[in-house]
Amino acid sequence: LLAEDGTELLPPEFSEMVIEPDDAYGSAHRGSSCVVFDRQGNILFERKMTANSWIYTYNDAVPPFAYFDGALEREGYVNLDGTDAIPPIYDDAMSFWKGSDLAVVTLDGKQGMIRRDGSIAIPLEYDQLIGFSEGLCAAEKDSLWGYLDEDGGVAIPFRFADAHSFKNG
């Protein structure tokens, strides 16, 4: 990892390094470990992982970070100190984004949303969820789309063939 002026922030001993221009954190592999670092090149934690495991720190993700456990083929969340925040029990776990306290998770083919403490915010009963935008979340259930409010209540009934996120009203 190099600073804008070319100064080396992290040595070239890492593989599969990922940090996007607007991301606060990055991740990389070193041997059988996954390393999470900040933009200044400070290693925040290093966690021994199984093969094909990864910690997702990109696309504006904020802690706890979603991660894939290759041995269990499940996803969970890891704290900024490297400890499990939410154990790897989900088939898929989306990142928590800047300004959001909810993340989409999938279990047995159904999606819902969890809070940062792992509690269920929106039950895992939807075929597909598109994250919140302007206070509403597009949701598909039984092949129809509608919108949920931030408490998980139906704001716009399920009656549409397709739906997208709201933008500018």
Side-chain angles (χ1 to χ4, degrees):
L1 179 67
L2 299 176
E4 287 183 20
D5 66 1
T7 306
E8 182 179 274
L9 298 175
L10 285 174
E13 63 189 59
F14 300 97
S15 63
E16 302 179 60
M17 185 177 290
V18 176
I19 187 166
E20 299 294 333
D22 294 332
D23 293 345
Y25 305 97
S27 59
H29 280 115
R30 175 167 48 191
S32 62
S33 294
C34 192
V35 175
V36 172
F37 55 89
D38 64 18
R39 292 205 69 77
Q40 291 72 43
N42 301 307
I43 294 176
L44 304 173
F45 69 87
E46 183 167 350
R47 180 175 167 145
K48 187 150 180 76
M49 305 290 277
T50 58
N52 300 320
S53 296
W54 195 259
I55 298 172
Y56 303 103
T57 58
Y58 45 89
N59 294 332
D60 274 344
V62 294
F65 297 116
Y67 77 94
F68 174 71
D69 183 312
L72 298 175
E73 294 191 9
R74 292 281 187 253
E75 298 198 14
Y77 294 85
V78 62
N79 291 314
L80 201 51
D81 65 3
T83 60
D84 268 1
I86 301 165
I89 59 171
Y90 296 104
D91 299 329
D92 189 36
M94 301 299 289
S95 294
F96 288 96
W97 309 111
K98 262 185 218 175
S100 176
D101 288 325
L102 301 176
V104 176
V105 292
T106 305
L107 185 61
D108 298 327
K110 294 295 181 180
Q111 291 189 332
M113 289 191 183
I114 60 169
R115 295 178 189 91
R116 291 178 187 277
D117 65 3
S119 63
I120 302 294
I122 295 177
L124 283 87
E125 60 187 46
Y126 297 95
D127 301 320
Q128 188 174 349
L129 294 175
I130 299 174
F132 279 95
S133 176
E134 299 190 15
L136 295 174
C137 172
E140 180 187 22
K141 188 174 187 177
D142 301 325
S143 299
L144 293 174
W145 286 84
Y147 290 87
L148 305 175
D149 63 26
E150 291 180 353
D151 294 323
V154 176
I156 299 173
F158 290 83
R159 61 179 185 219
F160 303 102
D162 196 10
H164 300 278
S165 297
F166 277 88
K167 185 174 181 182
N168 298 322

